Amino acid sequence: MKSFKSKKSKVLLTCLALALIVSMLCVSLAGCKSLAKDTPIGVYFVGDFQRNVSAEQLAAITKEGEQIISIEDALTQAGIDKDANPAAAAAAIYAVAVTNYNNVTQTGYYVLTDALVNARGTSLGTLNVGIRSTYSSFSGKKGSFSQTISGVTKLEGIGPIGDTLRTNFGYNIQSFGNDDFYAFRRGSNGGAQFPAEADDENIYKYILGAYNNDLTGTVKAKNITITPSGQGEEEKPLPDYAPVAGQKYPAGSTLADKELPAYNLNRKAWEPLNRIPARYWDDNGNVAEVSHEVEGTIYNCGTYGAGFAVYDFSRPEYLSNDTKVSYDSTLDLWTVEIAVLDEYTNQACEFAAGDLIKDTKSYIALKNAKFTKIAVKFEVYGNGLIKSMQKNDELSTTDKCPLVIIKGECKDGGLTSNTATMAFSYSDNDTDAVKLAALYWPELGQDKIFNDKGVDTKLKLDLSSYPTFDTYKPVVNDALVKAFNDIFAKDQQ
């Protein structure tokens, strides 16, 4: 979605909002035999991902001093009838899911996204760029592990040179951290592979079916850092954020002159979430907020309390009663399909827009972009833990704006669209960072990598009790796969 508040985690968020329509990605990755075909739905259900958590398990992973509230209890205490007022029910369920997510001690989260950037009216005509990315983050008793694999799958509109240029783009990194050390490595741009099930028998062994040979095989010291605990730069904590009552968005923002939503320090789990802008310490020791300015248009970045929560669907006034809320008693599962009122699109999707602009700014810098499509569905178990989330967004503008991937202008504007499927797990097995290192970075259990970096080999991981990649036998939960309601499949029917 674990709120991704650490400095190390922020590095890995840059691919979170990259996305696109899967059906358009059927072109070869340069230098790779495999195609960017549809990834099998089973990759979202490996191990305990999307499986419900028992009451005993939930009690064991609840943070000390916190509580997890069920959806039924939340709706009852809020006095909400889901059938009479689906917008209010949806808002409460979303708020509870985000709140509960932050009140557990271990989480596994991953997302596969596809993105399209369309630039119109360039000197070469219309330019289309497709990007596929997988992001994963796991945090539990034995530390944290994260991986991003991303590549450009399509670069159309500039002739044959497009196949060559697209290999210069991509984002492939891994990180591991525990009480003893933090390790990070980076592969080369391009080369990301996203095979279909028929192309690779090991597809379920890879996280979300994606891999990059250069990343997993790299031994170059310049691409790896290992920092023992206490030797790295201390991260200065940011102060708590709470806007002054009546404070307005800055001039130039897509929400200019509108009041910021009220900040509630004592909110109940089902009440509207607090807006938390992405912030950092600048060189002068002052706190600055993250925003991206394009030709005078300001796009803000941040969340509503968890890394996956870039939408503010927790305010019923933003939602239409076309919003759908349903409950499956067999699975003990609540499903919400969001419908946002046109007049509140900017407010509800402020940070989602900022993420999209940020993550496609290397290709096109959209000016005055507006949402032309929003489709979001999420599933939450009755105990209040989020199971999955899917989204399909599009931002578009007709304003002239800069073309970045090749210097120039988009005289007729452009668009960026994204689809993303996210899955969650809370089990000991899925959140075991050492197990993930054994599978995807086994060098952390060997002397060489520590010797090469001048780090005490006593810090190396003991991987002796874990499966290797060769012996790993992932299990897909076929029952949950069959029960999964895929909004993208529905759109294509």
Side-chain angles (χ1 to χ4, degrees):
M1 89 118 195
K2 190 165 158 92
S3 62
F4 302 115
K5 292 180 179 178
S6 73
K7 185 175 183 180
K8 297 164 188 173
S9 296
K10 288 176 185 175
V11 175
L12 303 175
L13 281 174
T14 57
C15 289
L16 182 58
L18 286 176
L20 171 71
I21 301 173
V22 173
S23 61
M24 300 181 69
L25 302 178
C26 295
V27 293
S28 298
L29 287 173
C32 302
K33 294 181 180 179
S34 60
L35 302 178
K37 298 178 181 177
D38 289 354
T39 295
I41 199 72
V43 300
Y44 301 104
F45 295 89
V46 173
D48 294 318
F49 268 85
Q50 301 197 56
R51 191 188 299 271
N52 204 354
V53 176
S54 69
E56 294 76 19
Q57 289 174 307
L58 186 55
I61 64 172
T62 300
K63 290 179 180 176
E64 185 176 355
E66 302 292 352
Q67 64 177 350
I68 304 298
I69 186 168
S70 71
I71 300 303
E72 183 177 359
D73 284 349
L75 295 180
T76 299
Q77 292 185 51
I80 297 172
D81 182 329
K82 73 175 179 64
D83 297 317
N85 196 343
I93 294 170
Y94 183 76
V96 167
V98 175
T99 302
N100 285 342
Y101 189 80
N102 283 320
N103 288 339
V104 293
T105 59
Q106 57 189 45
T107 57
Y109 159 73
Y110 46 47
V111 53
L112 187 151
T113 66
D114 288 293
L116 173 69
V117 172
N118 171 260
R120 301 186 293 263
T122 76
S123 59
L124 297 172
T126 298
L127 176 66
N128 292 302
V129 183
I131 310 116
R132 176 169 286 188
S133 302
T134 65
Y135 171 78
S136 57
S137 183
F138 313 84
S139 180
K141 300 179 182 71
K142 297 182 181 179
S144 61
F145 181 90
S146 189
Q147 174 179 284
T148 296
I149 292 180
S150 150
V152 170
T153 55
K154 174 168 58 179
L155 184 50
E156 297 177 344
I158 59 175
I161 195 174
D163 282 342
T164 300
L165 284 179
R166 68 183 177 190
T167 63
N168 295 320
F169 298 95
Y171 196 65
N172 309 295
I173 58 178
Q174 288 177 331
S175 74
F176 173 89
N178 62 11
D179 291 339
D180 298 323
F181 68 93
Y182 173 75
F184 174 89
R185 70 175 173 178
R186 181 183 67 255
S188 67
N189 289 337
Q193 299 187 53
F194 309 95
E197 189 169 10
D199 297 327
D200 195 325
E201 62 183 7
N202 291 321
I203 189 166
Y204 294 108
K205 288 189 176 185
Y206 305 113
I207 298 173
L208 290 172
Y211 61 95
N212 175 280
N213 287 330
D214 183 71
L215 172 63
T216 56
T218 185
V219 293
K220 297 178 181 177
K222 67 178 182 179
N223 290 336
I224 300 173
T225 59
I226 298 181
T227 306
S229 296
Q231 294 185 20
E233 178 184 351
E234 290 295 325
E235 183 179 358
K236 186 179 179 182
L238 288 166
D240 291 335
Y241 175 82
V244 177
Q247 183 177 344
K248 294 185 176 182
Y249 289 92
S253 167
T254 53
L255 292 162
D257 297 327
K258 296 182 182 297
E259 284 194 9
L260 290 167
Y263 196 96
N264 183 0
L265 291 172
N266 300 305
R267 57 171 293 274
K268 295 180 175 63
W270 56 85
E271 293 179 337
L273 297 163
N274 289 321
R275 176 185 182 274
I276 305 173
R279 299 174 301 151
Y280 65 98
W281 292 101
D282 64 21
D283 293 338
N284 297 319
N286 299 315
V287 177
E289 293 187 14
V290 175
S291 62
H292 302 282
E293 184 170 352
V294 179
E295 300 284 301
T297 302
I298 295 173
Y299 300 92
N300 298 310
C301 293
T303 74
Y304 292 90
F308 68 88
V310 294
Y311 299 95
D312 188 3
F313 296 146
S314 64
R315 299 174 195 278
E317 64 268 26
Y318 291 177
L319 307 181
S320 161
N321 272 328
D322 290 334
T323 293
K324 299 177 182 178
V325 178
S326 60
Y327 177 69
D328 184 321
S329 59
T330 302
L331 294 175
D332 187 23
L333 186 68
W334 293 83
T335 300
V336 178
E337 294 188 51
I338 292 292
V340 182
L341 291 167
D342 289 343
E343 59 265 38
Y344 288 110
T345 298
N346 286 342
Q347 287 94 324
C349 305
E350 174 199 2
F351 290 144
D355 269 355
L356 266 173
I357 297 300
K358 177 190 68 176
D359 290 328
T360 54
K361 67 179 183 178
S362 295
Y363 308 96
I364 188 174
L366 296 180
K367 176 184 179 182
N368 294 323
K370 305 293 183 183
F371 275 94
T372 50
K373 184 174 184 178
I374 305 169
V376 178
K377 179 185 79 70
F378 59 93
E379 299 175 311
V380 182
Y381 280 113
N383 56 24
L385 292 185
I386 189 166
K387 170 183 176 286
S388 76
M389 186 170 181
Q390 299 174 75
K391 63 178 183 175
N392 187 348
D393 296 341
E394 182 180 276
L395 276 172
S396 181
T397 183
T398 56
D399 287 8
K400 182 172 67 175
C401 53
L403 178 63
V404 182
I405 189 170
I406 300 171
K407 286 188 177 181
E409 286 185 333
C410 309
K411 296 180 181 178
D412 300 323
L415 66 82
T416 177
S417 65
N418 81 81
T419 66
T421 298
M422 312 169 203
F424 302 83
S425 178
Y426 309 89
S427 75
D428 289 346
N429 189 48
D430 288 339
T431 61
D432 187 338
V434 178
K435 172 195 170 184
L436 292 157
L439 293 174
Y440 307 113
W441 199 351
E443 293 85 357
L444 291 177
Q446 302 167 10
D447 288 342
K448 186 179 186 307
I449 191 172
F450 293 89
N451 284 328
D452 288 347
K453 305 307 297 183
V455 176
D456 191 340
T457 57
K458 291 180 181 179
L459 298 181
K460 71 179 181 182
L461 301 178
D462 180 2
L463 307 179
S464 59
S465 63
Y466 292 94
T468 65
F469 185 84
D470 289 336
T471 61
Y472 173 44
K473 298 185 183 300
V475 177
V476 176
N477 190 326
D478 291 326
L480 281 180
V481 172
K482 291 178 182 178
F484 188 59
N485 179 17
D486 187 351
I487 62 171
F488 303 142
K490 183 191 303 182
D491 286 344
Q492 294 168 10
Q493 290 176 353

